[in-house]
Amino acid sequence: MDPAQLWQRYQDWLYYHEGLGLYLDISRMTFTDADVEALAPKFDRAFAQMKALEGGAIANPDEHRMVGHYWLRAPELAPTLELKADVVNTIALVETFVRDVHTGKIHPPLAPKFTDILSIGIGGSSLGPQFVAEALSPLHPPMQIHFIDNSDPIGIDRVLTQLQDRLSTTLVLTISKSGGTPEPRNGMLEVQKRFRDRGLNFAQQAVAVTGEGSQLDRVAKSEGWLATFPMHDWVGGRTSEFSAVGLLPAALQGIAIRDMLEGAKIMDEATRVTALRQNPAALLALSWYVSGDGKGLKDMVVLPYKDSLQLFSRYLQQLVMESLGKEKDLDGKVVNQGIAVYGNKGSTDQHAYVQQLREGLPNFFATLIEVLQDREGPSMEIDPDATSGDYLSGFLLGTREALYEKGRDTITVTLPTANAKMVGALIALYERAVGLYASLINVNAYHQPGVEAGKKAAAATLALQQKLLQQLRQANGSISLTDLAEKAGAGDRIETVYKIVRHLSANGRIQIEGPLGQPDQLKVSRL
């Protein structure tokens, strides 16, 4: 394509939102006018389904649930007065609680104010809050935030060690819809033990964000925790950043949550437009569909050229992959859909995997996130007429050109600045793009049967471990690995038994005799 044609294509496929100052450039994606025309009926259906979803239709048929995350920033659209009141009241509760914490009206038993936040969650209950904290937390926040988002004992110890001298002034948020999800439950129990060891009253420093009537809700209320905030079954974890899940930790850090909500609401309005060229989320969905032939054949590489947005690719991994990665479509047909997402940040990745992106397998499309404002205030010149921000911009534009020279697809999203309003808009843009793309490929974007299958398999493994330990308590001396498996009723799971006893031995809970690399010759006994 000659320069004049390329310039014309750029103008044809450059979207600009005047109110937000946001640009979306899909001109370097490989699609034709014929592709757009062929997809028109699918987009008509997608727009109609999205309208029905926002109107309160059962958009998650497998779980027979409404999907209402768009109401979180526009409660007037909620289909009932009760749902509207839930959204409005939750925001008010968050703001009142945060004001009381910041002023010291709500304070820890041994100090006038809380200094830190410890957020315990997993998946959507942690990825969104972590992304927003990294992107928007002020330089000198009223409270510092820390996260426990895994069941890794060393990771938990590291966080609690960082908080050791300030544990008495730390506000603990436990975020779990059911209260029974192992990772947040384990983290909460570990933190409670640390509080007891330090002679502190956990309940007087604890807050729950959970489903009404859940196991966690009952515990929090029976023990007299400081507060509970709701999680609704019509909001999925990966789209919960604008619920109490994300608003509470953000507000406690001094982040302007009303600005986030406003940015999301403005983007929602822009992405309801049914003219494809005027709808940025539809343009993203179009690009993803054509690039991957409607089958997710190309990965999504996300490169934000701003340090504060470095966790965006990690946040998108769940939003995109959990929503779109499905074995069956809505008609029950096996389709094995999905789009793999990975990335880090620019220009760091120009010294890492951009080498392969340009010269290796063309099995991806890249999304470059550009932020026009370098910093607040002027920048020094590193070289004549060049600041460090100019270099960063040059790296982005250079990467875009280098990839285009090799026929690699790129999308560029440009924000005027990375403030709360724009981060809210960015999240909303991708939430809608995922929803529209799901309609194009006819999958349920709002359930996660694969995740549930993993949870069930993990629970079965833990149940087997209990049986193994019970058999070892009853054994007189050592027992062969094979016999142990048979006695526990797991003769057909000998590999899993081997891995369980290996882990128990490494943590000093049982003893293994024999060559570790030859499982058939091992004997196991209690210490």
Side-chain angles (χ1 to χ4, degrees), residues 182-492:
E183 293 91 343
R185 176 181 173 272
N186 295 353
M188 182 189 74
L189 294 174
E190 292 255 11
V191 172
Q192 285 179 325
K193 181 180 184 301
R194 189 64 62 95
F195 267 71
R196 289 194 301 271
D197 291 346
R198 297 289 297 274
L200 300 172
N201 188 321
F202 177 81
Q204 293 178 336
Q205 296 179 221
V207 174
V209 183
T210 188
E212 185 176 356
S214 73
Q215 177 182 336
L216 178 59
D217 186 50
R218 295 192 300 272
V219 168
K221 289 175 178 174
S222 67
E223 294 181 356
W225 291 18
L226 288 175
T228 59
F229 294 87
M231 294 178 73
H232 302 292
D233 65 2
W234 40 266
V235 178
R238 56 192 175 277
T239 55
S240 64
E241 180 55 32
F242 300 115
S243 72
V245 168
L247 296 182
L248 178 59
L252 287 167
Q253 294 168 80
I255 294 169
I257 61 172
R258 290 282 180 175
D259 289 352
M260 286 177 59
L261 290 166
E262 181 188 2
K265 183 174 182 177
I266 292 171
M267 180 54 71
D268 284 344
E269 292 166 354
T271 56
R272 289 189 189 101
V273 174
T274 57
L276 189 148
R277 287 175 182 255
Q278 280 75 55
N279 183 324
L283 293 175
L284 284 177
L286 163 72
S287 302
W288 301 350
Y289 188 96
V290 177
S291 182
D293 195 27
K295 301 172 184 176
L297 299 181
K298 290 191 176 181
D299 301 340
M300 182 190 304
V301 180
V302 182
L303 301 176
Y305 280 72
K306 204 67 174 176
D307 285 1
S308 63
L309 301 180
Q310 67 177 326
L311 294 183
F312 189 52
S313 59
R314 188 167 173 235
Y315 168 76
L316 284 183
Q317 279 182 334
Q318 183 184 23
L319 177 64
V320 174
M321 297 177 72
E322 192 168 88
S323 298
L324 303 179
K326 302 294 160 64
E327 179 185 18
K328 296 179 180 180
D329 67 11
L330 286 165
D331 299 322
K333 179 183 176 183
V334 174
V335 291
N336 298 118
Q337 278 283 3
I339 300 176
V341 180
Y342 63 95
N344 187 5
K345 66 178 181 180
S347 64
T348 300
D349 289 311
Q350 291 179 209
H351 300 274
Y353 52 70
V354 167
Q355 167 65 32
Q356 177 169 313
L357 298 186
R358 187 174 189 271
E359 299 186 7
L361 293 171
N363 61 344
F364 72 94
F365 60 92
T367 300
L368 312 179
I369 312 290
E370 177 183 25
V371 179
L372 294 177
Q373 184 185 48
D374 293 335
R375 59 157 56 102
E376 292 185 7
S379 294
M380 66 172 286
E381 291 189 355
I382 301 296
D383 291 313
D385 296 326
T387 67
S388 56
D390 296 337
Y391 270 95
L392 186 65
S393 177
F395 294 146
L396 183 152
L397 296 175
T399 298
R400 180 174 177 269
E401 287 301 316
L403 293 175
Y404 177 73
E405 287 172 359
K406 292 292 187 178
R408 270 53 169 169
D409 287 349
T410 60
I411 296 169
T412 305
V413 179
T414 302
L415 312 178
T417 187
N419 60 18
K421 185 176 180 180
M422 295 311 304
V423 167
L426 186 64
I427 291 172
L429 171 63
Y430 275 84
E431 284 181 347
R432 184 82 66 166
V434 165
L436 291 173
Y437 183 88
S439 292
L440 295 183
I441 61 173
N442 194 37
V443 300
N444 180 356
Y446 309 109
H447 71 157
Q448 49 283 330
V451 175
E452 299 306 319
K455 290 179 181 179
K456 291 177 181 177
T461 298
L462 287 168
L464 173 56
Q465 176 176 303
Q466 291 180 326
K467 291 181 179 179
L468 296 173
L469 288 171
Q470 184 178 6
Q471 290 299 323
L472 285 175
R473 292 188 189 100
Q474 296 173 359
N476 185 15
S478 62
I479 182 173
S480 72
L481 185 73
T482 304
D483 287 346
L484 177 62
E486 291 292 341
K487 288 181 178 294
D492 58 343

Side-chain angles (χ1 to χ4, degrees), residues 123-140:
S125 296
S126 187
L127 286 169
Q130 286 189 58
F131 165 56
V132 167
E134 183 76 18
L136 298 174
S137 187
L139 191 59
H140 302 289

Side-chain angles (χ1 to χ4, degrees), residues 101-131:
V101 168
H102 286 170
T103 61
K105 183 177 179 179
I106 295 175
H107 61 87
L110 304 177
K113 285 188 178 182
F114 285 104
T115 60
D116 292 80
I117 311 152
L118 176 56
S119 181
I120 306 171
I122 189 72
S125 296
S126 187
L127 286 169
Q130 286 189 58
F131 165 56

Side-chain angles (χ1 to χ4, degrees), residues 40-61:
K42 285 181 178 288
F43 271 106
D44 289 342
R45 184 184 69 175
F47 290 136
Q49 290 177 340
M50 188 62 71
K51 183 178 181 179
L53 178 152
E54 288 194 310
I58 300 299
N60 180 357

